[in-house]
Amino acid sequence: MTASDKRCDLVLGGGGVRGVAHIGALTALEERGYQAVRAAGASAGAIAGAFAIAGVDGATLRELFEALDLRGFITADVLERLRSRRGVGRLVERFGTEAVDPLAWIEEILDEHGVRTFGDLRVPDADHTAPPERRYRLVVRCLDVLQRRVVRLPWDYERYDLDPDAQPVAQAVRASMSIPFVYDPVRIGNRDTGRQGLLIDGGLATGFPVTVLDRRDGQPPRWPTFGVRLLSRPRGDQDVPDGGLALARMIVDAMLDANDLLEPTTTCDERRTVRVDLSGVNAFDLDVGEEHDLFADGYAAMASFLEDFDFADYVETCRPSP
């Protein structure tokens, strides 16, 4: 593969604050000449994937996240709910953290790069009669708790009587990161027609397999797909939770971790999956920057992976021509 044709697809796992490691991984890809054609992701992976497909370069991504008040970003909906309660608002003000609206933040960055709706992310050479999964450069995963099913946006918008091209990308990404008890769920669809849903974090269900963007016509891939999993090893220093809220948070945290600990199902999936070992870092660790350099972890994992990856050998072994 020459420098001029180093295209790739990306499948990015979730992981809460661990998602900063995706920036390091994307930067390593960029420095080695790769350009992302399509991306699939949930939660933190949806954020990173959307920015990568929109054309936000690694250096800019790092600057954006270093300037971001992560505590205000993670607790935005919690702070707003507390401020609305009589007698609690003043205590919240004393907390000293200003809410950072995730939707507005994502919208602003995408808008600066000319991306508003999924119509802006159509695959250039896709035929208008092609199925939804072949028309768009980005797909994000959500869980519809009202309809009790996994939703892949923009592929599944038609289930809600919505035109995929007209739907805001930022809203889909925001829905995909709606961790229960942290972010409010996102409503979708039309209540009058009965085709409505309530979307939460797609990482709470089984995450995207690395095969999600593979060709279905039996032909070998034109470029590689790289899966990135952010792994947090079990921590043995945690106490039994004291109270229902603490237990609920631990359950959600465990579900997010369990999703990204799922192993690729085949040896060929293994060969194109990058594992970023973030031992001891959990999805809600707001002080992680003081002890871990997540950017460096993601960068090192991807750089090491690319040293040994041989696309031609992968195709010959795993996806040969019929």
Side-chain angles (χ1 to χ4, degrees), residues 46 59-60 73 86 130 256 304 318:
T60 301
F73 185 85
R86 182 177 300 178
L256 290 171
S304 176
C318 299

Side-chain angles (χ1 to χ4, degrees), residues 181-234:
F181 310 110
V182 179
Y183 293 118
D184 294 335
V186 174
R187 294 182 179 274
I188 186 175
N190 190 326
R191 180 183 300 177
D192 295 334
T193 65
R195 291 197 167 192
Q196 62 174 330
L198 193 63
L199 306 182
I200 65 171
D201 192 329
L204 294 174
T206 303
F208 276 128
V210 72
T211 59
V212 67
L213 298 175
D214 285 353
R215 298 181 66 165
R216 307 300 180 192
D217 58 5
Q219 296 298 315
R222 292 176 289 177
W223 50 76
T225 294
F226 299 129
V228 182
R229 292 285 180 253
L230 309 179
L231 306 180
S232 179
R233 305 303 179 191

Side-chain angles (χ1 to χ4, degrees), residues 47-314:
I47 299 175
F51 288 166
I53 295 303
V56 187
D57 61 72
T60 301
L61 270 178
R62 188 171 189 180
E63 290 176 1
L64 287 169
F65 275 85
E66 287 179 345
L68 177 65
D69 178 355
L70 189 59
R71 187 177 296 275
F73 185 85
I74 294 293
T75 62
D77 286 2
V78 175
L79 290 175
E80 290 306 310
R81 287 195 294 268
L82 290 175
R83 284 194 176 98
S84 66
R85 295 185 180 181
R86 182 177 300 178
V88 180
R90 291 184 179 179
L91 292 177
V92 173
E93 295 298 332
R94 293 180 181 179
F95 185 59
T97 298
E98 288 295 325
V100 179
D101 183 355
L103 178 60
W105 185 77
I106 295 167
E107 280 179 335
E108 180 179 359
I109 295 170
L110 291 178
D111 187 66
E112 289 176 353
H113 289 78
V115 174
R116 297 177 182 83
T117 69
F118 278 99
D120 297 321
L121 296 181
R122 290 183 68 97
V123 174
D125 58 353
D127 188 274
H128 72 280
T129 62
E133 58 268 25
R134 290 174 50 195
R135 286 187 234 150
Y136 301 96
R137 299 182 59 207
L138 176 71
V139 55
V140 302
R141 183 185 181 97
C142 305
L143 182 62
D144 184 341
V145 295
L146 194 61
Q147 302 294 337
R148 300 185 181 182
R149 64 189 177 195
V150 169
V151 176
R152 300 162 302 173
L153 303 177
W155 299 355
D156 293 328
Y157 274 124
E158 292 177 357
R159 289 183 173 182
Y160 301 95
D161 289 332
L162 296 173
D163 175 10
D165 282 0
Q167 304 312 306
V169 175
Q171 185 182 57
V173 173
R174 168 64 181 80
S176 183
M177 54 181 278
S178 297
I179 302 172
F181 310 110
V182 179
Y183 293 118
D184 294 335
V186 174
R187 294 182 179 274
I188 186 175
N190 190 326
R191 180 183 300 177
D192 295 334
T193 65
R195 291 197 167 192
Q196 62 174 330
L198 193 63
L199 306 182
I200 65 171
D201 192 329
L204 294 174
T206 303
F208 276 128
V210 72
T211 59
V212 67
L213 298 175
D214 285 353
R215 298 181 66 165
R216 307 300 180 192
D217 58 5
Q219 296 298 315
R222 292 176 289 177
W223 50 76
T225 294
F226 299 129
V228 182
R229 292 285 180 253
L230 309 179
L231 306 180
S232 179
R233 305 303 179 191
R235 305 196 320 181
D237 60 344
Q238 298 190 87
D239 295 325
V240 175
D242 182 16
L245 184 59
L247 175 60
R249 175 173 170 171
M250 182 173 285
I251 291 172
V252 171
D253 202 4
M255 292 176 69
L256 290 171
D257 283 348
N259 167 52
D260 284 326
L261 285 171
L262 292 174
E263 296 296 323
T265 56
T266 70
T267 301
C268 288
D269 293 344
E270 173 85 22
R271 290 181 60 174
R272 50 184 177 155
T273 299
V274 184
R275 288 179 174 76
V276 187
D277 185 353
L278 302 175
S279 298
V281 181
N282 64 42
F284 303 114
D285 194 346
L286 298 179
D287 298 318
V288 62
E290 299 177 3
E291 300 178 5
H292 296 269
D293 187 342
L294 299 178
F295 176 92
D297 291 335
Y299 184 97
M302 179 60 79
S304 176
F305 170 85
L306 291 175
E307 286 182 2
D308 298 325
F309 182 77
D310 186 323
F311 180 55
D313 181 63
Y314 166 79

